[in-house]
Amino acid sequence: GAVVSQHPSRVICKSGTSVKIECRSLDFQATTMFWYRQFPKQSLMLMATSNEGSKATYEQGVEKDKFLINHASLTLSTLTVTSAHPEDSSFYICSAKIGGEKLFFGSGTQLSVL
Amino acid sequence: GESVGLHLPTLSVQEGDNSIINCAYSNSASDYFIWYKQESGKGPQFIIDIRSNMDKRQGQRVTVLLNKTVKHLSLQIAATQPGDSAVYFCAEGQGAQKLVFGQGTRLTINP
């Protein structure tokens, strides 16, 4: 069964609003989670590394003020897309590391900004 | 910069045949490699992984081959089934560091 749960699976919002995406690790504690972004027919691009109890580490070119990451507990990380615009429309995926290296992914969130 | 890429963007095979998906990587320091399968609208699903101290690893119907000399990784799927149709990504990493994903190969299984 799934070890990483991501919600919602699909969200449509108006331009200028904020959207929160949740990523939960099931039955295990994840001190580190990762957030990816994927455009159609493209690969996964790492946006940031979410660390429990500390600030997230963002990849070059990712706006930390626009993509807010909170990892307040060992089983939950959230990604908030603030003041979303149509160009933020994408497939967002979270993952958590198990056993040191193996990554398990959530089911993804399709964000559509109108 | 370092990159992971694939030789073919698409691959079509007949149901029941074997398929081979290839991947090239350029970071010689990478010591951990993974293959993921992604179906439309879903998150990636772990298939198989391999460490750099191995050159072959087998799973259920899948085999991963690693050639460090030419920095090449391949995924072999035996006796393909319709459910194998998906996009397959390879990814590389160094120990517990973040993974870098390749561009993906779309595998289509023809009936």
Side-chain angles (χ1 to χ4, degrees):
Chain A
V3 296
V4 178
S5 174
Q6 185 174 344
H7 294 281
S9 59
R10 182 178 294 272
V11 58
I12 301 172
C13 69
K14 294 182 179 180
S15 183
T17 61
S18 295
V19 175
K20 179 184 285 187
I21 303 170
E22 293 188 349
C23 182
R24 296 182 183 273
S25 58
L26 305 178
D27 299 325
F28 72 98
Q29 295 179 336
T31 57
T32 303
M33 291 186 178
F34 303 89
W35 288 95
Y36 293 82
R37 184 174 183 176
Q38 186 178 32
F39 291 107
K41 298 183 180 181
Q42 295 190 22
S43 186
L44 284 73
M45 296 298 296
L46 180 65
M47 298 175 66
T49 301
S50 173
N51 303 298
E52 188 272 334
S54 64
K55 293 183 178 180
T57 304
Y58 289 82
E59 295 300 301
Q60 189 175 6
V62 178
E63 300 176 59
K64 59 181 64 178
D65 293 332
K66 180 167 188 61
F67 299 100
L68 301 179
I69 291 174
N70 184 283
H71 196 155
S73 77
L74 288 171
T75 59
L76 175 64
S77 175
T78 61
L79 168 68
T80 301
V81 183
T82 63
S83 187
H85 291 284
E87 57 265 30
D88 298 324
S89 298
S90 186
F91 193 56
Y92 293 87
I93 309 170
C94 70
S95 70
K97 191 170 287 186
I98 299 176
E101 293 172 328
K102 193 173 295 184
L103 274 182
F104 285 88
F105 289 84
S107 55
T109 298
Q110 182 63 53
L111 172 63
S112 299
V113 184
L114 304 179
Chain B
E2 302 293 356
S3 66
V4 178
L6 296 172
H7 294 308
L8 296 173
T10 61
L11 177 65
S12 293
V13 298
Q14 291 297 122
E15 182 179 352
D17 287 352
N18 300 330
S19 67
I20 299 175
I21 301 173
N22 297 302
C23 181
Y25 66 95
S26 58
N27 187 351
S28 57
S30 293
D31 59 7
Y32 183 63
F33 305 87
I34 305 180
W35 280 100
Y36 286 95
K37 170 186 179 182
Q38 186 178 28
E39 298 176 4
S40 181
K42 298 182 179 180
Q45 176 186 356
F46 173 88
I47 299 176
I48 193 168
D49 59 356
I50 188 169
R51 298 186 63 86
S52 60
N53 61 352
M54 302 173 67
D55 53 20
K56 180 179 180 179
R57 192 174 186 204
Q58 289 184 295
Q60 186 176 10
R61 285 201 304 119
V62 295
T63 301
V64 55
L65 299 177
L66 176 63
N67 186 329
K68 294 181 288 294
T69 302
V70 296
K71 298 187 183 67
H72 185 266
L73 189 71
S74 68
L75 175 70
Q76 300 178 2
I77 304 175
T80 53
Q81 304 169 358
D84 294 329
S85 293
V87 177
Y88 290 80
F89 293 96
C90 65
E92 62 169 335
Q94 299 175 43
Q97 300 302 312
K98 61 188 179 186
L99 294 177
V100 175
F101 284 80
Q103 290 303 306
T105 293
R106 178 172 296 281
L107 175 65
T108 301
I109 308 302
N110 300 314

